[in-house]
Amino acid sequence: MPDDATPDPYANPIAFGQRMQIQRQRRGMSRPVLAGLLDMSPSWVKQVEGGRIQVPKLPMILRIAEILRVRNLADLTGDQSMRIDLFIGPGHPRLAAVKAAVDEFPLTTTGLAPSTRHLRHRLDGAWAARHSAPNHREVVGELLPGLIRDGRLAVRQADNAADRRTAQSLLSEVYSLSQFFVAYQPDSALLWRVAERGMVAAQDSEDPHAIGVAAWLTAQAHRDSGPGHFDAADAVTLEALRYLEPQLPDADDRVLAIAGALQFEAGYTAARRGENGAAWGWWDKAEKTARKLSMDYYHPVTSFSRAIMGAHAVTVAVELHQGGESVRQAARADETVIRSRPRRARHRIEEARAYQLDGQPDTALATLDKAHEAAPETIKYNGYARRIVLEECESKQPDRRRRASELAVKLGLLAA
């Protein structure tokens, strides 16, 4: 291997600082950017990477792991006793069945496809279950294999071009539902197969709403892959918005909502970059779009609505590391009008991040308890929640450490 080649971070022995540098470079992040996100100086980052100062304590290690999207703490620390997945949750028991349905390559199937009306009814029921069930992954995971197989069958057996486009739109939506199930599980390749197939089916459907939803989910997959993929996330988001823009003056609530969701996605990515003006500028655009929606409208895939904009404001402030502003936005957001259990739990997690950022760890833990009450399967797979809980398990305050440990047991991070 050439002397200037990037060392393998899994080889031993490699010091913490060198592992940190490797992970930072793999994410395409500069020292000044990492330093800014950590509220430290570029000099501090350089000294840690060079091994000239001691290894940071666990709370800082967890923050570094969060920012660099390090999947497993052992990849950063080299300590195999710390094999804790932050941004990949435990594999769901129904993952294998969903994967088998996605991976099938049926050419000789003789079954009769259900009607598109029947598929629409089943999909509506699946989305309703996802939003209302506390164990939403379990419920959706049970429904997905049949929906995937029947969706593909409907496309293959369509009688004419119009019917085929309708079936493709439904199949794309099935893949969208699948992406919610597969996300943050230990099979990133499956996630990308689902995202790409959803986009292809949406494009074949020529349905603006389906295309917008597929783009929204694909942009999220890029962004969650780390800073090196932010440009790709923006490219998908902005191209979808350019496609939808001419149709917005006469659009129904569904198409307006997916445009608003995409506008917020652009702001979310800007916030992850630390671009304050752009982040809030896109939030403003999304908020104006939300005002055009019917008062009680709630998009079944993205949860975009008038009510969700308060929750989105919390997310922007948190991603910009604006502690005081994030808490102010959390106080303003009315989470009780968020009808979806998993989205309500996600909002609670964002609130917890705000309180943690603002130096209120006890309130953060109490808020995570509420997230667990709303949707246990949401918090169990959320890397931000897991990071906060692990950090507070090291607290010097006995009561706080006990509460964090109890929550860690619920999330499967610690043995009972």
Side-chain angles (χ1 to χ4, degrees):
M1 184 174 69
D3 292 339
D4 60 350
T6 301
D8 181 356
Y10 304 99
N12 287 313
I14 295 181
F16 172 85
Q18 192 175 9
R19 288 174 179 270
M20 175 174 149
Q21 181 178 5
I22 292 166
Q23 297 292 346
R24 175 179 62 77
Q25 291 173 339
R26 287 186 171 181
R27 291 298 182 197
M29 186 180 291
S30 68
R31 279 183 182 138
V33 169
L34 176 58
L37 293 173
L38 291 170
D39 291 325
M40 303 297 286
S41 69
S43 173
W44 181 86
V45 173
K46 185 176 181 179
Q47 289 182 75
V48 171
E49 291 182 347
R52 290 188 289 279
I53 59 177
Q54 65 182 6
V55 175
K57 295 188 181 299
L58 181 60
M60 179 58 78
I61 292 175
L62 289 167
R63 291 180 187 276
I64 293 168
E66 175 186 330
I67 290 168
L68 296 180
R69 304 296 290 185
V70 174
R71 300 296 189 184
N72 196 300
L73 280 184
D75 296 345
L76 186 60
T77 65
D79 182 356
Q80 296 304 307
S81 68
M82 297 182 70
R83 293 198 64 80
I84 299 171
D85 289 324
L86 285 179
F87 292 93
I88 293 291
H92 194 279
R94 294 196 182 275
L95 178 61
V98 173
K99 182 179 187 299
V102 172
D103 289 346
E104 282 178 3
F105 186 58
L107 293 174
T108 58
T109 304
T110 56
L112 184 63
S115 68
T116 53
R117 179 178 296 182
H118 180 67
L119 269 178
R120 177 73 269 163
H121 178 75
R122 285 164 61 189
L123 259 175
D124 288 343
W127 285 117
R130 180 186 181 269
H131 290 303
S132 62
N135 59 332
H136 53 94
R137 285 182 185 266
E138 171 65 23
V139 174
V140 171
E142 182 179 9
L143 297 173
L144 276 174
L147 282 169
I148 293 168
R149 293 183 177 106
D150 285 348
R152 286 196 294 229
L153 205 58
V155 171
R156 293 180 59 203
Q157 295 183 10
D159 291 329
N160 52 59
D163 288 349
R164 183 179 176 84
R165 285 194 297 272
T166 300
Q168 289 281 24
S169 178
L170 290 168
L171 179 59
S172 177
E173 192 172 328
V174 170
Y175 283 129
S176 295
L177 182 63
S178 302
Q179 191 166 334
F180 278 100
F181 175 82
V182 173
Y184 308 115
Q185 295 207 51
D187 195 336
S188 57
L190 179 62
L191 174 70
W192 280 108
R193 283 201 297 282
V194 167
E196 289 169 358
R197 291 181 188 182
M199 181 63 84
V200 170
Q203 289 176 321
D204 287 346
S205 77
E206 301 178 9
D207 176 0
H209 177 258
I211 291 170
V213 169
W216 180 77
L217 284 164
T218 300
Q220 290 192 355
H222 280 298
R223 190 186 61 240
D224 286 347
S225 296
H229 299 262
F230 287 174
D231 287 348
D234 278 339
V236 173
T237 300
L238 297 178
E239 180 63 20
L241 284 170
R242 280 192 291 270
Y243 166 76
L244 291 172
E245 187 175 3
Q247 306 174 56
L248 296 183
D250 301 317
D252 59 16
D253 277 350
R254 287 194 326 152
V255 175
L256 272 176
I258 194 57
L262 284 162
Q263 287 166 341
F264 172 69
E265 283 305 306
Y268 193 169
T269 304
R272 289 282 293 273
R273 281 196 175 101
E275 298 171 350
N276 183 79
W280 287 114
W282 279 110
W283 183 90
D284 285 338
K285 290 180 181 179
E287 202 270 337
K288 289 175 183 176
T289 301
R291 285 187 212 153
K292 298 176 183 177
L293 298 172
S294 305
M295 282 295 296
D296 60 348
Y297 182 79
Y298 200 84
H299 191 261
V301 181
T302 68
S303 295
F304 192 81
S305 60
R306 292 189 179 197
I308 209 68
M309 292 311 299
H312 282 340
V314 176
T315 297
V316 170
V318 168
E319 292 293 348
L320 289 169
H321 296 263
Q322 298 172 343
E325 179 64 20
S326 62
V327 169
R328 283 191 292 273
Q329 292 293 348
R332 292 175 56 189
D334 184 2
E335 63 85 23
T336 59
V337 299
I338 299 177
R339 290 183 281 174
S340 166
R341 273 182 175 264
R343 189 60 186 85
R344 192 158 66 243
R346 171 64 190 275
H347 175 53
R348 287 297 198 186
I349 293 167
E350 294 295 276
E351 285 185 320
R353 294 177 68 197
Y355 290 122
Q356 183 81 353
L357 192 62
D358 198 48
Q360 302 183 48
D362 290 312
T363 308
L365 286 174
T367 306
L368 288 179
D369 275 326
K370 293 178 181 178
H372 191 268
E373 291 172 8
E377 288 189 342
T378 294
I379 185 172
K380 187 175 183 179
Y381 288 83
N382 187 280
Y384 300 115
R386 293 154 74 88
R387 191 268 295 167
I388 293 171
V389 170
L390 284 171
E391 185 171 327
E392 296 310 324
C393 282
E394 297 290 313
S395 172
K396 294 180 180 179
Q397 301 292 327
D399 287 346
R400 188 185 306 156
R401 188 168 62 246
R402 175 187 55 77
R403 291 178 63 189
S405 298
E406 289 172 354
L407 192 48
V409 170
K410 294 178 184 177
L411 301 184
L413 295 172
L414 295 176

